[in-house]
Each structure stands twice: as C-alpha cells, then as structure tokens.
Amino acid sequence: MIIKKLRILIDILPAMGHFHATLKIAKLMKKNNWEVTYGCSLEFKKEIQAKGLDCEVIPNIHIIRINFSKPSEGISHVRNFFSEKNDKLSFQKKFSHQFQKKISEINPDIVLLDEQMALKAFWYEKMKIPIIVFQTQPEIRCIKGIPPFTSYFLP
C-alpha cells in the first residue's frame, strides 16, 4: 500500500512573530515526512529557507476601504466600485487570479491558515482546499478550565 505524502501549506501573516510561532509545528510535520511549504512575502523568504523549510511567495490580500460621510454617498461609492473602470476592483481581480495560480502550483492537500489571514479562506474554499484556521497568539486571558498558553510557539 502506497501512502501519499501529505503536502501542507502554512499561510501566515507576513511578520516574524507569526513565522516564529509556527516554526516548531512546521519542523515536526517535516520530521514526520510531510511536505511543508510556507506561503510568505518576499522579505521573509530567506529567513524561512535558512531554517530548512520551503517557501513560496504568494500574493497578499489587500483590503479595500470605502469611506463616505453620508449614507447617500455610500450608494454612489458602491456603484463606482463595481464599475468596469474601477482600478481597485481590477486590482482585486488580478490578485484573485495570481493567488489561485500560485496555490494551484503549490497544490496543497491542506492549508494551515493564520487567523489574521482568515479572509483568504474564501479563496481556499473556492479552490476546494481544506483549511485549518489557527492563532499564532492564542487568547491570553485566564479562563477557568482552559490551560494557559505560555509558549512562544504553537504546541
């Protein structure tokens, strides 16, 4: 019986604290002979590779904010946003295309998705890739019955 090697994509907020928080679990998965790839931004690629882990630069999601002072302006902004001439909408379409292309190249069996990047869950769902959402900084309040998370990394 041939067992397929599990390919895992770790998609985190592009910040060193989020990378360091996932480093131990990534190394444990790699030690168990799973293929582990970080989805990262260009500035963190060398640091991740220096730890012996694979890294692919994937497009980062950008949130578009629409500001208006009166409700009547809101309708106008929404109409303009969805017009064909809108640069912000074409940027999002370009992001969506680039993101889906890159993720298809990586071809993960599952994605570990940083809760700070949860908006990407919609794209992974569209691509029918299962995800597990996690926090790199779990809740720090003391709650009865829940053990404290005192480690700097995911267990």
Side-chain angles (χ1 to χ4, degrees):
M1 181 171 142
I2 298 173
I3 299 175
K4 182 185 173 209
K5 211 177 202 185
L6 192 60
R7 180 173 290 173
I8 298 169
L9 173 64
I10 302 176
D11 191 348
I12 57 173
L13 183 75
M16 288 314 296
H18 293 259
F19 166 62
H20 288 292
T22 59
L23 187 56
K24 183 177 181 184
I25 197 164
K27 286 184 174 184
L28 286 171
M29 289 185 291
K30 188 174 178 180
K31 185 178 177 181
N32 282 298
N33 210 25
W34 296 349
E35 290 181 35
V36 178
T37 301
Y38 272 90
C40 68
S41 58
L42 192 56
E43 65 254 13
F44 296 114
K45 186 171 184 165
K46 285 182 183 177
E47 174 116 14
I48 292 170
Q49 289 174 329
K51 300 289 184 182
L53 297 162
D54 293 329
C55 178
E56 291 287 336
V57 176
I58 57 175
N60 202 359
I61 192 168
H62 296 275
I63 299 173
I64 297 172
R65 300 190 195 294
I66 300 174
N67 297 320
F68 51 89
S69 56
K70 296 184 242 173
S72 59
E73 291 176 355
I75 294 169
S76 167
H77 280 291
V78 170
R79 281 189 190 122
N80 290 337
F81 182 80
F82 288 105
S83 74
E84 289 296 319
K85 297 174 186 174
N86 186 329
D87 290 336
K88 291 178 182 178
L89 185 60
S90 65
F91 176 81
Q92 287 294 55
K93 286 179 182 178
K94 183 179 177 182
F95 160 80
S96 179
H97 174 74
Q98 290 174 342
F99 179 80
Q100 290 181 52
K101 182 178 181 211
K102 189 62 173 180
I103 299 304
S104 293
E105 290 170 7
I106 298 169
N107 193 25
D109 295 306
I110 192 165
V111 174
L112 300 182
L113 184 62
D114 187 339
E115 166 281 323
Q116 294 289 320
M117 304 301 287
L119 287 174
K120 286 185 178 180
F122 294 106
W123 279 280
Y124 289 121
E125 173 66 25
K126 182 178 179 184
M127 298 176 75
K128 299 190 182 334
I129 301 171
I131 63 168
I132 296 174
V133 178
F134 66 92
Q135 291 182 328
T136 53
Q137 182 178 1
E139 181 62 58
I140 57 174
R141 293 178 295 170
C142 292
I143 302 171
K144 187 177 180 178
I146 299 177
F149 293 93
T150 56
S151 173
Y152 66 93
F153 50 73
L154 295 174

